[in-house]
Structure formats: structure tokens, C-alpha cells
Amino acid sequence: MDAADIAPDLTKVLYTSAEIEARLAELAAQIDRDYAGSNPLLVGVLNGAVMVMADLSRALKIDCEMDWMAISSYGSGTQSSGVVRILKDLNTDLVGRHVLVVEDIIDTGLTLTYLMQNLASRNPATLKIMAMFRKPDAMKIDIDVAYVGFDLPNQFVVGYGLDYAGKYRNLTDVGILAPHVYS
Ligand code: 5GP
């Protein structure tokens, strides 16, 4: 579905699928250069990063591998709980690997801070972050993000893998969710 299919549920379209695709192509070219010959392991954070992982990995021209983690963060509300739990761990040994964490969105940064500490303790050769979206005004912890798609206003967005109560992940564009949907 695209934004026109659910127009009443969005107050604003922030990025169209074409804009997302173009930005991902730029990031992929950068990652191709930075990781040439190093067979990076892309670590996707379920469920939100499914779309960005699928599109980023296919835009890359270098070899890479993929693995997945599931971490609890939001439940079905719109506020960060700060409660982080590993629901599914990686299948891959990280020792000596070049690990690139692929995230959908960084909001407060609490989830990612926990995740990075956890992954760093597994002795990868390098450990960096790629995030499709980031909300600079919401960040509570300073995190070094090597690759960022777009910076967003501090509002709750849906689409391109980002859900509200399980819905809208299959929205190809990204937009601000209308308050009437969750109030
Ligand atoms: P943080 O710990 O950085 O506050 O939250 C990170 C996680 O919260 C993201 O991976 C995502 O699942 C969820 N999240 C944060 N902001 C938004 C948002 O605007 N929309 C949606 N759908 N999820 C969000």
C-alpha cells in the first residue's frame, strides 16, 4: 500500500518510496566503498528493519551476510518503554567479523545502546550502525551512527517497516500517524 491508500490515517507524508530508494542507493554506494573485500555481516533488528535490510542488501554490490535479532522495545504503544529484552538472538559467531547493525529508526536510542553493548561484548572486528531514520530531538543517549537515511521530526511515524500495533509495516512511504488512530 502507499500513502494514498490510507490517506485519512496520516497527517503528513514525510518520505515517498522513491525518495527512500534514492537515499538507500547513496548509502549502499558508501557501504560498498567502506566494506570492500570484508564480507560484512548485516545484523537486522526485527521486525522494523525487514524492509530496509531487504532493500539495502540488494542495493549493495559487495558480498555480505545477514542475520537477525529480535528485541522488545515499544509493545503496541507510541512511547519508548526503556525495557529491552532479547526475544531472538543471532545464529552467527561475531568474533573477528565486520558487523553492521541495520536499524529502522533510532528514537531515544535506549534500545540501540543496549544492543551495541551486547554485540560489542562478542568481540567483532568492527561494529557500526546504519539507521534508515533517526529522531535527533528524541535521542536521550549519544550514539555514533555511521550511516543515516533521514532525520525525522519528533513525532510517531509509520511505514517502510515501522508499525503501529502491528499495522502499516507494508506502507511503502513513511508518514506521521494521525492522532485519531491511537487516541
Ligand atoms: P528507542 O529505543 O530508540 O527509543 O526506540 C527504538 C525502537 O522504537 C525502534 O526500533 C522502533 O521499533 C520503535 N520506534 C521508535 N520511534 C518510532 C516511530 O516513530 N514509529 C514506529 N512505528 N516505531 C518507532
Side-chain angles (χ1 to χ4, degrees):
M1 61 168 64
D2 63 25
D5 297 316
I6 56 156
D9 292 0
L10 300 175
T11 52
K12 190 175 178 193
V13 177
L14 294 174
Y15 293 102
T16 64
S17 57
E19 289 169 327
I20 293 168
E21 189 185 335
R23 182 68 186 125
L24 265 183
E26 292 174 353
L27 293 177
Q30 239 179 302
I31 292 168
D32 277 340
R33 284 195 298 274
D34 295 351
Y35 287 88
S38 70
N39 187 31
L41 177 71
L42 308 184
V43 169
V45 183
L46 294 168
N47 295 316
V50 166
M51 306 298 174
V52 55
M53 180 74 123
D55 288 343
L56 174 73
S57 61
R58 288 178 296 174
L60 292 175
K61 298 190 189 307
I62 57 169
D63 286 326
C64 67
E65 295 173 27
M66 284 172 249
D67 202 347
W68 299 92
M69 282 183 93
I71 289 181
S72 69
S73 52
Y74 262 32
S76 60
T78 61
Q79 294 297 308
S80 190
S81 65
V83 177
V84 177
R85 234 168 7 119
I86 293 184
L87 305 176
K88 182 219 169 289
D89 207 343
L90 298 172
N91 297 320
T92 314
D93 183 358
L94 299 192
V95 175
R97 296 298 304 263
H98 294 279
V99 176
L100 181 62
V101 174
V102 176
E103 262 282 22
D104 48 0
I105 189 166
I106 305 175
D107 185 0
T108 62
L110 296 174
T111 310
L112 199 50
T113 298
Y114 168 83
L115 180 67
M116 294 303 278
Q117 282 167 358
N118 184 294
L119 296 180
S121 74
R122 306 183 196 194
N123 296 321
T126 63
L127 179 60
K128 290 188 185 177
I129 301 166
M130 180 272 170
M132 193 63 226
F133 300 104
R134 178 175 64 179
K135 296 184 194 168
D137 296 342
M139 283 179 76
K140 292 187 177 158
I141 297 177
D142 201 23
I143 302 180
D144 184 19
V145 188
Y147 311 94
V148 183
F150 298 108
D151 279 328
L152 298 179
N154 191 8
Q155 280 173 295
F156 193 79
V157 301
V158 292
Y160 200 64
L162 295 166
D163 74 310
Y164 172 68
K167 282 172 64 183
Y168 307 110
R169 288 194 199 278
N170 60 327
L171 172 63
T172 55
D173 311 303
V174 166
I176 298 173
L177 189 64
H180 74 81
V181 178
Y182 55 81
S183 58

